[in-house]
Amino acid sequence: MSSLQQHDIPADIACCHDYERYAEQILPQPHWHYIAGGSGNESTLKANNIVFDKFGLQQTLLPDINQINTRVILNSERHENPILVAPIAYQQLAHQDGELATVQAANAQDISMVLSTLSSTSLEQVAQYQTSQPLWFQLYIQPDKEHTYDLIKRAEQAGYTSLVITLDAPINGLRNREQRHQFSLPEHIQAQNLQPYSQSVSNQAATGLSSQQVMLSRLLAQSPRWKDISDIIANTRLSVYLKGILTVSDAKKAKELGAAGIIVSNHGGRILDGVPTSIEMLPLIRQAVGHDIEILCDSGIRSGSDIFKALALGANSVLVGRPVIYGLATAGAMGVAHCLRLLKDELQLTMALTGCASISDITIDKIRLP
Amino acid sequence: MSSLQQHDIPADIACCHDYERYAEQILPQPHWHYIAGGSGNESTLKANNIVFDKFGLQQTLLPDINQINTRVILNSERHENPILVAPIAYQQLAHQDGELATVQAANAQDISMVLSTLSSTSLEQVAQYQTSQPLWFQLYIQPDKEHTYDLIKRAEQAGYTSLVITLDAPINGLRNREQRHQFSLPEHIQAQNLQPYSQSVSNQAATGLSSQQVMLSRLLAQSPRWKDISDIIANTRLSVYLKGILTVSDAKKAKELGAAGIIVSNHGGRILDGVPTSIEMLPLIRQAVGHDIEILCDSGIRSGSDIFKALALGANSVLVGRPVIYGLATAGAMGVAHCLRLLKDELQLTMALTGCASISDITIDKIRLP
Amino acid sequence: MSSLQQHDIPADIACCHDYERYAEQILPQPHWHYIAGGSGNESTLKANNIVFDKFGLQQTLLPDINQINTRVILNSERHENPILVAPIAYQQLAHQDGELATVQAANAQDISMVLSTLSSTSLEQVAQYQTSQPLWFQLYIQPDKEHTYDLIKRAEQAGYTSLVITLDAPINGLRNREQRHQFSLPEHIQAQNLQPYSQSVSNQAATGLSSQQVMLSRLLAQSPRWKDISDIIANTRLSVYLKGILTVSDAKKAKELGAAGIIVSNHGGRILDGVPTSIEMLPLIRQAVGHDIEILCDSGIRSGSDIFKALALGANSVLVGRPVIYGLATAGAMGVAHCLRLLKDELQLTMALTGCASISDITIDKIRLP
Amino acid sequence: MSSLQQHDIPADIACCHDYERYAEQILPQPHWHYIAGGSGNESTLKANNIVFDKFGLQQTLLPDINQINTRVILNSERHENPILVAPIAYQQLAHQDGELATVQAANAQDISMVLSTLSSTSLEQVAQYQTSQPLWFQLYIQPDKEHTYDLIKRAEQAGYTSLVITLDAPINGLRNREQRHQFSLPEHIQAQNLQPYSQSVSNQAATGLSSQQVMLSRLLAQSPRWKDISDIIANTRLSVYLKGILTVSDAKKAKELGAAGIIVSNHGGRILDGVPTSIEMLPLIRQAVGHDIEILCDSGIRSGSDIFKALALGANSVLVGRPVIYGLATAGAMGVAHCLRLLKDELQLTMALTGCASISDITIDKIRLP
Ligand SMILES: Cc1cc2nc3c(=O)[nH]c(=O)nc-3n(C[C@H](O)[C@H](O)[C@H](O)COP(=O)(O)O)c2cc1C
Ligand SMILES: Cc1cc2nc3c(=O)[nH]c(=O)nc-3n(C[C@H](O)[C@H](O)[C@H](O)COP(=O)(O)O)c2cc1C
Ligand SMILES: Cc1cc2nc3c(=O)[nH]c(=O)nc-3n(C[C@H](O)[C@H](O)[C@H](O)COP(=O)(O)O)c2cc1C
Ligand SMILES: Cc1cc2nc3c(=O)[nH]c(=O)nc-3n(C[C@H](O)[C@H](O)[C@H](O)COP(=O)(O)O)c2cc1C
């Protein structure tokens, strides 16, 4: 990985969100808009960006704590931080080192990565770089059932410890910005995991609305049903997390099906514009499903303070998407590591000022509701 | 129609609303402001532009549907889509092909057009280009009763299937933007349908406030009364839709008079600044009049998602005004066709993601109220 | 008056508010900021500018009216329009013709002017130009009681028909904008009415905070008390209107003292920043005092629609301040006349579209509350 | 103090907030951002800036007052104005004359200064310049208990009359802006009071997040506990004010511990982003603790009107932070004096217009709640 030492971290980056403006300058316009954009009018994307600021914090004066411990148990594994790298397709779009840079940087920061089905590096290759942290695999169910099960088997064999099945993206969203800039995948970047099944290109790999629409009926017919999910749960030894849940009823269904956890997410505002923010739905969902099931959450997390708020509202952990990719675009693995480091530091500082010695101290009374 | 193949669709148009910025550049300033502008401070116009975003959507995960069907019955006719082209005066202002381009493009997209009384092409000529889709005629009641009935007879004879009587524009609105840019109708563009009755120019043709004010009393004296409406309903075989309804009581009155339907509309914010948005009034009106009368709706529809929301709030179909004209200005008939195509595709995609196989599945629980 | 025919009305003025941007360019910066500015952070001034848009209107479809009549009775006089020109000091700052241009233009539009105590033309000279319309005089109570009564006597003798006593400006507001631009009255512009009493310059003539502060105690000691008001009411044959009322209790006090009317006003946001808008307080005040006392209203009126809303909320008439002065600055008397003409036309159009044949038809149900 | 007469006050400064734009131009970028910035997204800082405008004022017409008296008793001392200069570290960053300029200017305006532990001039030297006004000392509790008590003893000996213990800054906030501009303390500017104990640099002196984080555990272990506060109260003859209180429960605790007063403050939005504004919490806190304990308040005070509102909501006095420093940066002592003078004048003017002859007349009914 040639570039690991090459890049310097820009001196004026003070928080992980600061990577965004660098990424915007570094990336080719179409790539930038593919990554940064949302669907439709981007009203959900905009809501993701502002919803956290609507929740305030409550400082604890002169707290009686000596140490901050951010450890959590997820999937019966010990995670040093309540943070995972969200599954993001085609990371070589951001940087030539792609997923390999990300996984190494995450590992270096004691953070687990969720690898996308649509990774530009194969799941097997990524797994080789796995060191201390458990690796998770994000599954897009394939049109052909055999391919789906083959992917699962490969993930098991490569040592991934859990399966994140994404439910909210049966078809691509209406990503106007991306289309306006005529984004298309460069030849040399491909969904490596799907190469063996190249006949049936994954739905999600399609970009561009018109081709999509032509295929709408076909896509719908091929897209997964709830029965497919319960079959997978029954047939894998991996723990299954269902990603893209935004309603109480879907959360309850996930629990009934025996999922290990759910990921409350609006896919970063990229699928159906107008759906709510994760953070709005989180407390309702937690209240409805109780504490027997893990709840993770993403979409809009940009700081340690955002993480703190998500945890206070009921999440066991969060996932971080674009900021990681902006770090990657700006400074390769160093950028990813720095980005994650900043998040961890900020979370600890927030805990210190709110008097939380451990994650379980982060309760709803530590935040101020809108 | 010379230009039908001439224009290329700009590559960076991803949704029908994107035509607006092209139209703004292509059109002469006064024309642009005549079309784009609203009345007064444009507070109703601005509200039209933002009200849809206040309603969210509810995604349905893993919906069990194979096909999307957007068919509706309006005026006992089968319409492939719950979309009509709104009546817009003087379309040659936007493009030399004017209404002929629009009607052909609409037909090509299986969408019906409502022709304005103030069309720059005569209703008879437009009707010749009618192919598969039913044509509707929008009526401005004329100062001279005979002229009004002559127009109706001509519409009947030319094969129009319904009559949209516009109630909200007895006089022009206070269109400041238009006046600031000193818009006036070019010599070669005329209200062709009214040529036979040229003595009595229609009220609505008048532009410019001061002439209007001089004539205010005369206009008021000549403007229609409710009795005129019921007379027309009794004396035409066409179905009558009343356009410009914004209150429950007017909707009920329309129903009592035996109208086939009403069009909830604020005329695109062009008449009395300060009236509410259609979308706010829609559910109240639907609840008051029940389901025995059709409710159409316009003013501010810019995407398939907006259409979806209007249907969820009680409309049987929507009408689209300015975006069609912006498509026309940008790329003639091709622009109109593309604009309508995008709306249809977006509606289908929204239905797919919300789990609606047919229009009747689009119920209020699919949206999130403000 | 040399300039009466000299100026052309700019072609792109469509409503009276359009004069503002012309005035901003024409006037010397300090003059502009003196006229346009408010006090403090200008939060009251900003509220004045936006509060009217919070109230919507209700259109009446197919109204059964033939004529619009805008006549009102104020001070037992017939006024053709529910509009007066507000008292504005030193109008020669805006245009060399000053108050003489304004009074003539107002007369030409059948509108009465309220002349300020601080006019740059003497009240006697202005009265000579009075033609058809009654003239009103605005009184700032003077430090010296004799001067106050002398002013009243002069107003009576010159034929003014009512006395508007301004209560809200015992001292100048904290007009930061004005001070930042170091506004001071040019030598040749003076408070003509006060020349005879030049020893005791009126409080209100003072500009510049620091001089003001030095004199704060003196100003307070000299400033009027309620007893002074009731004495004046008892000792003049003019009807007395109290200007600057913003609370129910002050409105009731005015009624008890026997005032002919009150003017609900925040002085155009120029005195104490943070006081409410007139339009917010108007309905509460009307409800409290009933209909035995006239209520006029100003601060923020910029269109016929604004006038309509003020009347619907309980006013008998409005006063218009800055727009008139902007018309004056832009085009002298012609500008004032045009400005007032636009307001009248707009009011009539609004009445036509809401189905109001006369001012008494403008009731609260014609508007939509926020 | 070479510069005391050197600087002229810019002519376009009309209120103390106007100094901000001058300071922004005069100061080196990193210094500017260190002073002006807040923590995190600066949402608390932004709230500080706008919260006051949400409260309106109620004018009193024709008030019966002759004089304005702004005197208050704080700490059993007579203060001519309910205003103190807030403790601000390292004032030589703003101007070479630093704290000496500030203390003299404050004295000249009959206003007391609270000197920071982190002053760039020693507490003894500042005390020499003390003239008429009592001086207060702000204490950051030191890692080493002896040093804390030594500081207290020195303050007592130098004649300071009260001790403001800051509770809300055990560690620096996450000041992104400051870090982006790589602020660090210039060599020649130092925490003079802490020189004797140079081994153990105060926590608060540290800038830069990463060093901070490394030391997080150490900082936490060394940071004060409530017991330390009560010990200090028991062992000093100075009155103790606790600064940084934002909750009712902490206010009650302060009262129980025997503090002379509390300072409701969010430290100018510099510590934990997301905490509420002082002004929101003030009335709740006053109501909870009653009137036996003094309540001071800071964070966002920018005008006499802001001071008035804070007093109406329950404060006995306010502290002003950044504006004073901006005055200092712009024009040294003259700027500070002018800044304070403007605040005093504005407060008096506001009192005059609201009919308050003395501070005790400033009651909650004089303001309009949001
Ligand atoms: C460029 C991009 C690609 C993504 N690809 C995938 C993917 O392949 N699988 C998936 O489940 N989610 C994908 N997501 C969604 C993320 O996993 C995550 O839900 C989202 O980015 C979180 O929001 P944030 O970016 O605001 O942190 C993608 C998001 C982005 C921005
Ligand atoms: C330039 C223009 C001309 C119009 N002419 C007519 C007309 O002749 N008759 C009519 O009933 N409505 C007319 N309308 C109103 C439209 O039918 C429709 O109500 C409105 O445009 C819908 O709002 P939208 O433009 O936001 O889609 C016109 C609108 C515009 C913008
Ligand atoms: C430049 C200027 C001078 C004014 N002079 C006076 C005055 O001499 N006497 C008075 O009662 N009001 C005075 N006013 C207040 C106006 O009478 C009126 O209340 C206010 O302008 C209404 O608000 P508007 O300007 O938004 O219409 C003045 C206002 C302005 C803008
Ligand atoms: C540059 C700067 C330095 C500060 N240093 C201290 C300090 O040393 N001790 C302290 O208690 N507060 C300190 N504060 C906080 C102030 O005392 C005060 O709470 C805050 O500035 C009030 O908000 P304002 O700046 O909006 O008026 C500092 C504030 C600023 C802006």
Side-chain angles (χ1 to χ4, degrees), chain B residues 34-35 86-89 116 138 140 166 243 265 267-268 270 298-300 302 320-323:
Chain B
Y34 165 70
I35 297 170
I88 303 274
S116 168
Q138 177 268 331
Y140 275 130
T166 301
K243 178 168 182 277
S265 168
H267 211 106
R270 296 169 72 83
D298 74 18
S299 299
R302 296 293 174 268
V320 180
R322 293 182 185 86

Side-chain angles (χ1 to χ4, degrees), chain D residues 34-35 86-89 116 118 138 140 166 243 265 267-268 270 298-302 319-323:
Chain D
Y34 165 71
I35 296 168
I88 304 273
S116 168
L118 300 177
Q138 178 267 332
Y140 274 131
T166 301
K243 177 166 182 275
S265 166
H267 210 107
R270 296 169 72 83
D298 72 21
S299 299
I301 301 278
R302 297 291 175 268
L319 295 87
V320 180
R322 295 184 186 86

Side-chain angles (χ1 to χ4, degrees), chain D residues 31 34-37 45 48-49 85-90 93 114-119 138-140 164-169 175 204 243-244 263-270 297-302 319-326:
Chain D
H31 295 199
Y34 165 71
I35 296 168
L45 180 61
N48 286 350
N49 290 339
V85 173
I88 304 273
Y90 308 115
L93 285 170
V114 185
L115 187 77
S116 168
T117 289
L118 300 177
S119 60
Q138 178 267 332
L139 177 73
Y140 274 131
V164 170
I165 310 182
T166 301
L167 307 182
D168 60 5
R175 292 211 292 269
Q204 290 80 13
K243 177 166 182 275
I263 304 182
V264 177
S265 166
N266 59 35
H267 210 107
R270 296 169 72 83
C297 160
D298 72 21
S299 299
I301 301 278
R302 297 291 175 268
L319 295 87
V320 180
R322 295 184 186 86
V324 169
I325 302 305
Y326 298 150

